[in-house]
Amino acid sequence: MSGSGGTFGSWSADPPAFHLERRPPGQDMWHQVGNDRLTATAHADGRVVLYCAEAGLVRMGSGTGTWVTPDGRRMAAAGHAVTWEVGGATWTSTGEGWRVVRRVWAPFGRERALRIDVEVVASDPQFEGGRYIENWTFDPEPIVLGGLMAPFTPPPADSAVLRKTTWVMAFGVASAARHTTFALRRLLARSLQLHPQAVGNDLAAVLEPDMPRWLRERRPSFRAAVPGPVVVAPLAGTEATSRARSGCAEVVADLPDQEVARVSFVVGLPRAGQSRAFLQGQRAVERADTDLRWAEVWDLRCGDPEVERETRWHAGMLRSAQAADACFGTSYVAQGSAYGFVHGLQGAPRDYAHFLVPLCLIDPEGARSMLLTMLQLQDPDGSLRYAHTGFGRATSAGIHAAPTDLPIALLWAATEYVWSTGDTSLLDEPLSWRPGLPQARPAPTVAQRLLAAWRYLRDGVGLGMNGLLRVGSGDWNDPLSAMAPSRRRFHARGESVYNSAFAVHVLPRAARLLEGADPDAAAEMVRWAGSLRAGVEDAWAGRWFLRAHDGSGGVIGNDRLFLDVNAWCLIAQIGTEDQRHYLFTAMSELLDDPCPIGALSLDRPLSVRGGILAPGWDTNGGVWSVLNSLLAWGYSLHDPRRAHQLLHKQLLATHARVYPDLWPGVWSGPDCYNAPYASDPGGTFVQPATSMAEFPVMNAHAHAGPLFALLKVLGLESEPQGLAARRESPIRQWSLSTTLGRYQSS
């Protein structure tokens, strides 16, 4: 066993697992269980809550295990000891003369199934067997899209009177909108009831939903549905009887009178009309390995046990965060946390691009499918929607009507995927527009779709009066318009230095990727990148680069250092060598040094319109995993030693050491932590739209970020020739074996 698990437990390394040893009374704690097709949350109290996203995100229901002793006592298999694993969880209950171990896990692959293995060990020679009951209650609730979803939250204690007033008003509106959304979800849940289906025997409990017409016809919908029947059944070798009634399924196994008794079950969602075939073909679940084969997925050897263990963990967590959209016919890494499980929103393409970089090494097929998901969010004019929800329904969620960084993110992701994997054939593959859009005949190729994204960036986003890309409704920093004097003028005439610096890095690479499809467009991308570089260089503010032109004649970021834009300036090598030295020094001193768990997103908080962002929360100074991974990349080009130090700051173990009494940040976390000087330091934010603190774990950035940073610390970069170590790493001797290939120090 090893640290650091804060005050909550300890880690083992091979395979990586966290052993939960302290559970504060009344505090719900959970862990992600999942595979390519479904997700579950395993809770410390023994509950498993099942979700499926293929026809829109639906909370399916929950299951528990019970052991009935020979004398009739019912013992919940909730566990005196709890272990979180990649893709699974184990609860161990002990008593006088017996021990019950219940393991729930999701075999990797395309089977929509959980496997449950139960072992009853008798140390008492008088043990006379007993009975085990696996009981599931299915009350499906559609997690349809909700906009303002934060519950009422008191303002920080140190707030001024005016700020407290605006805060209370904003959260009052958000709380009312939240209650309305929950009422709508409860109303829609009435059509998702599950009914028992006869299967000709009592070996399986099968519950069948009513299939809505829009799902049968594969029409996109903001609604969500159960995509097929639900099965709870014993696996081969387990003698059991099952029964189903409306909303409930139960499997009962009589345990043999022996020292060790084992029973196994499956909880699955077969395709519609395929219940019998699923029951007859459970071999994939029965034969599945109980442990992930790490040597085939992610095996880092670098002489640092903590980094080796955590990156194995992160690789498995990222892979197990995948979900599928049956309307698109693709899969993706769900960002999760409050965005998915509270809002019901999947996305955004910018996040998918970031997840894709490490996923290429872990699951190249999954990375390919995620790139196709991004393309399914594209409209025929080349623009991209902000996210998707329900059954294949693309949306920009109102306030994100014209996000302008998404075409750049798509071009970046496509270049990273094709160059990392060598899958150049994807560019020539025809790809129809998503269901519900007019279809072209013949369908455009992926390369043509990428060129459309470029043209939208050029003509739809366009340049402002300072020669920089316009900001539209926003770039990476969603609340940025609340930092401008006028939201309306900012959207109409504002310019994004962030978008421009991002494009300086991406466009020349995308030009090389697409020059075979359109040489003239490729040449224009290179010219644009040069012009944008000059525009960003003109945004030099003395020690750093500006964040934006506010559309009212002023600037944002003249007196504040923003991490997001300046990380891309380091990556794209913008400015003179002396300027980059000043920038590196300023970022180190003002953003990195003051915070023990990563660099701050802003050196000092701003007064945000309406007071909706507390100081040190969210983009008003919080610590973002995605930004720290970009900064590690920028550092690696200037001071690799600093990059290595920043990687260590991003580790879960570091957060657990600094904030040992906060469980979010021990085995998973949000995408943003609060700054050390903020209210609830090391926790996570609440703002009127999003209460990240309500679902503070299972955000994919918490796992993709350290993996991304590690790749850059190792010097791994994608080029047309493939992925390779392009520069010297501060880790002198290392080797990395992945699904994509094996890499090592020179």
Side-chain angles (χ1 to χ4, degrees), residues 143-157:
I143 313 297
V144 297
L145 179 62
L148 301 176
M149 291 298 293
F152 183 79
T153 304

Side-chain angles (χ1 to χ4, degrees), residues 163 167 479 483 606 608 610-615 617-620 686-688:
R163 184 160 171 268
W167 178 286
M483 301 177 182
L606 281 162
V608 179
I612 59 173
L613 295 185
W617 290 11
D618 202 329
T619 59
N620 201 19
V686 179
Q687 41 104 322

Side-chain angles (χ1 to χ4, degrees), residues 284-630:
V285 178
E286 292 167 356
R287 293 198 309 258
D289 290 336
T290 56
D291 294 311
L292 198 61
R293 295 182 179 177
W294 286 109
E296 299 174 6
V297 177
W298 184 281
D299 187 23
L300 173 69
R301 304 295 174 180
C302 66
D304 186 331
E306 204 160 72
V307 173
E308 291 175 355
R309 180 196 73 217
E310 281 213 18
T311 55
R312 290 190 188 102
W313 177 260
H314 290 313
M317 290 291 286
L318 192 65
R319 180 172 173 177
S320 67
Q322 293 183 94
D325 189 306
C327 186
F328 291 165
T330 61
S331 62
Y332 55 93
V333 172
Q335 184 171 175
S337 65
Y339 304 124
F341 294 99
V342 178
H343 280 284
L345 198 65
Q346 310 294 345
R350 68 172 73 109
D351 301 293
Y352 290 164
H354 190 77
F355 304 155
L356 179 142
V357 173
L359 192 67
C360 283
L361 286 81
I362 299 162
D363 182 3
E365 183 179 347
R368 187 182 198 272
S369 194
M370 188 157 62
L371 179 58
L372 294 176
T373 301
M374 296 174 69
L375 286 162
Q376 291 286 12
L377 298 178
Q378 187 182 37
D379 288 340
D381 66 355
S383 65
L384 278 84
R385 299 299 182 96
Y386 182 81
H388 54 111
T389 189
F391 182 62
R393 192 62 184 250
T395 178
S396 287
I399 62 171
H400 304 295
T404 51
D405 62 321
L406 304 186
I408 313 170
L410 175 62
L411 293 169
W412 178 41
T415 306
E416 289 287 339
Y417 170 75
V418 172
W419 284 359
S420 293
T421 64
D423 184 12
T424 56
S425 64
L426 176 65
L427 298 174
D428 298 322
E429 185 173 306
L431 183 63
S432 299
W433 301 103
R434 67 177 176 271
L437 292 179
Q439 299 299 318
R441 296 291 182 268
T445 65
V446 168
Q448 290 170 333
R449 299 275 294 269
L450 296 173
L451 288 165
W454 149 246
R455 288 190 293 271
Y456 178 79
L457 182 68
R458 181 193 64 192
D459 304 329
V461 176
L463 303 177
M465 62 183 298
N466 295 285
L468 298 170
L469 285 166
R470 294 174 58 250
V471 74
S473 66
D475 50 29
W476 176 84
N477 187 341
D478 291 328
L480 187 63
S481 60
M483 301 177 182
S486 167
R487 181 177 181 271
R488 180 179 58 82
R489 287 193 291 270
F490 184 62
H491 287 182
R493 298 192 295 271
E495 296 167 68
S496 169
V497 186
Y498 174 92
N499 278 351
S500 304
F502 188 12
V504 168
H505 171 77
V506 170
L507 288 179
R509 294 163 62 83
R512 295 179 69 182
L513 180 74
L514 298 171
E515 60 186 350
D518 191 333
D520 292 339
E524 190 176 11
M525 287 185 205
V526 174
R527 290 195 298 271
W528 256 60
S531 174
L532 289 171
R533 179 179 290 273
V536 177
E537 288 173 346
D538 288 341
W540 179 249
R543 295 186 69 192
W544 53 75
F545 291 93
L546 300 174
R547 181 56 177 83
H549 291 271
D550 64 15
S552 301
V555 297
I556 300 173
N558 185 52
D559 61 345
R560 295 291 194 282
L561 172 54
F562 283 78
L563 171 55
D564 49 10
V565 58
N566 286 284
W568 277 113
C569 289
L570 281 180
I571 293 164
Q573 302 279 282
I574 295 172
T576 66
E577 187 174 341
D578 283 346
Q579 286 174 329
R580 293 196 297 274
H581 174 73
Y582 290 136
L583 175 59
F584 169 81
T585 302
M587 296 179 82
S588 301
E589 294 177 353
L590 300 179
L591 300 178
D592 191 356
D593 290 346
C595 182
I597 58 171
L600 305 170
S601 59
L602 190 60
D603 67 320
R604 286 160 293 151
L606 281 162
S607 178
V608 179
R609 189 184 309 111
I612 59 173
L613 295 185
W617 290 11
D618 202 329
T619 59
N620 201 19
V623 184
W624 290 80
S625 178
V626 61
L627 297 186
N628 274 269
S629 61
L630 292 175

Side-chain angles (χ1 to χ4, degrees), residues 137-262:
T137 300
F138 294 104
D139 50 354
E141 180 180 353
I143 313 297
V144 297
L145 179 62
L148 301 176
M149 291 298 293
F152 183 79
T153 304
D158 58 350
S159 300
V161 174
L162 179 60
R163 184 160 171 268
K164 283 184 178 179
T165 301
T166 57
W167 178 286
V168 169
M169 292 175 61
F171 275 87
V173 172
S175 180
R178 171 188 172 95
H179 286 300
T180 301
T181 300
F182 283 156
L184 175 62
R185 290 175 180 175
R186 288 192 296 269
L187 180 64
L188 294 174
R190 296 177 182 176
S191 64
L192 301 187
Q193 299 306 303
L194 299 172
H195 311 290
Q197 178 191 31
V199 293
N201 57 51
D202 62 353
L203 294 181
V206 180
L207 298 169
E208 191 83 36
D210 295 323
M211 301 294 284
R213 183 173 178 179
W214 53 262
L215 182 57
R216 294 196 305 269
E217 296 175 354
R218 199 166 168 259
R219 286 187 284 114
S221 175
F222 277 111
R223 298 181 67 174
V226 179
V230 179
V231 172
V232 182
L235 291 178
T238 296
E239 294 185 5
T241 57
S242 304
R243 66 173 181 169
R245 58 186 187 276
S246 293
C248 296
E250 183 179 83
V251 182
V252 180
D254 288 320
L255 301 175
D257 183 6
Q258 55 191 46
E259 185 177 344
V260 179
R262 296 183 178 91

